[in-house]
């Protein structure tokens, strides 16, 4: 154990007990993973937010063709919604269906596409929640272990002076600090991402319902479905 007065971060890391060092390393990796997820979610949620607005604009105009550029690259939310919804609309209303049932069928189909698109933003969120909830306790374990190790050193040297106690206590508390550094951004990011994803889901779901309602009132391009039992 370091008996000097060197309390730099490098000294705290190098002179800590191996168990505390392992805890610090695990928490540092968790913090790196946390920030990687935060950056990735910022990009994904930003794109999904723009796609939800595009779908809202499409529903407001009652269009059936995604805006120019939506079909290029990865399939967007608008393109996916129209890809699954338009075939249902073109088949038309079954003779056994009411207008409301036809609209509900279109809406359910489109909402499934919205849900499938929004699932792209879900991976990583459970890890954020885990880091946010577990990191403080992992850091606390490192702190407790470090203080115990410090007390063992005090007992072995029969010296309770501050120069003997301070380094071990500082190393132990540093583990708690790293745990908080990992946990606080994870909790904030998880809550923010969850709220944003919920808002995008509500906006996109409302847009899908509006688009389904508009399409249900328009005549289909192709003929309607045949009545049950009608010969081909």
């Amino acid at each position: 154990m370091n008996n000097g007065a060197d309390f730099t971060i490098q000294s705290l890391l190098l002179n800590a007990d191996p168990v505390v060092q392992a805890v610090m390393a695990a928490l540092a990796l968790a913090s790196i993973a946390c920030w990687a997820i935060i950056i990735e979610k910022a990009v994904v949620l930003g794109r999904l937010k723009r796609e939800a607005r595009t779908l809202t604009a499409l529903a407001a105009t009652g269009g059936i063709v995604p805006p120019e550029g939506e079909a290029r690259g990865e399939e967007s939310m608008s393109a996916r919604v129209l890809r699954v919804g338009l075939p249902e609309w073109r088949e038309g209303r079954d003779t056994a269906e009411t207008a409301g049932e036809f609209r509900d069928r279109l809406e359910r189909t489109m909402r499934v596409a919205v849900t499938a698109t929004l699932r792209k933003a879900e991976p990583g969120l459970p890890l954020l929640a885990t880091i946010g909830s577990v990191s403080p306790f992992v850091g606390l374990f490192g702190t407790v272990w470090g203080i115990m190790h410090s007390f063992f050193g005090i007992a072995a040297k029969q010296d309770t002076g501050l120069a003997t106690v301070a380094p071990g206590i500082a190393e132990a508390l540093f583990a708690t600090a790293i745990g908080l550094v990992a946990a606080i951004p994870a909790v904030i990011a998880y809550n923010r991402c969850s709220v944003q994803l919920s808002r995008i889901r509500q906006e996109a779901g409302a847009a899908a319902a509006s688009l389904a309602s508009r399409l249900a009132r328009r005549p289909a391009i192709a003929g309607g479905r045949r009545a049950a039992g009608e010969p081909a």
Side-chain angles (χ1 to χ4, degrees):
M1 185 177 297
N2 184 16
N3 292 323
D6 186 4
F7 291 102
T8 64
I9 293 178
Q10 181 179 2
S11 176
L12 292 176
L13 291 173
L14 295 179
N15 295 311
D17 181 77
V19 175
V20 179
Q21 288 180 334
V23 170
M24 292 179 179
L27 292 173
L29 291 176
S31 182
I32 294 173
C34 171
W35 281 105
I37 295 172
I38 290 173
I39 295 173
E40 188 264 341
K41 291 309 165 196
V43 174
V44 171
L45 290 175
R47 176 172 54 80
L48 290 176
K49 187 175 182 179
R50 292 191 297 270
E51 292 181 2
R53 289 177 177 174
T54 300
L55 183 60
T56 300
L58 187 68
T61 60
I64 60 175
V65 179
E68 185 178 354
E70 285 291 304
R72 295 196 295 267
E74 185 179 358
E75 188 178 38
S76 67
M77 185 184 300
S78 299
R80 178 173 291 189
V81 167
L82 292 179
R83 178 172 58 82
V84 301
L86 289 183
E88 291 284 339
W89 171 66
R90 291 193 179 103
E91 288 182 4
R93 178 159 59 96
D94 198 316
T95 54
E97 280 185 321
T98 65
E101 290 172 341
F102 178 50
R103 183 188 66 250
D104 290 343
R105 175 161 56 85
L106 290 177
E107 181 179 342
R108 284 195 303 271
T109 302
M110 293 179 178
R111 283 184 179 273
V112 168
V114 169
T115 301
T117 303
L118 295 181
R119 284 201 184 103
K120 298 177 183 178
E122 293 179 357
L125 292 181
L127 181 58
L128 278 182
T130 301
I131 292 174
S133 60
V134 173
S135 291
F137 296 102
V138 175
L140 182 60
F141 168 76
T143 299
V144 172
W145 185 276
I147 292 175
M148 290 173 56
H149 185 263
S150 180
F151 285 159
F152 292 153
I154 293 172
K157 294 183 179 181
Q158 299 293 321
D159 182 7
T160 59
L162 184 61
T164 301
V165 177
I169 300 299
E171 295 162 6
L173 294 178
F174 190 55
T176 298
I178 297 179
L180 295 177
V181 168
I184 293 174
V187 172
I188 294 175
Y190 176 79
N191 291 336
R192 183 173 178 81
C193 289
S194 297
V195 170
Q196 289 184 342
L197 189 59
S198 177
R199 290 175 179 173
I200 293 172
R201 182 178 289 108
Q202 292 175 0
E203 181 179 358
S210 177
L211 182 58
S213 179
R214 284 179 175 270
L215 287 178
R217 294 195 298 266
R218 296 174 60 173
I221 296 176
R225 293 182 173 180
R226 298 181 180 275
E230 181 179 342

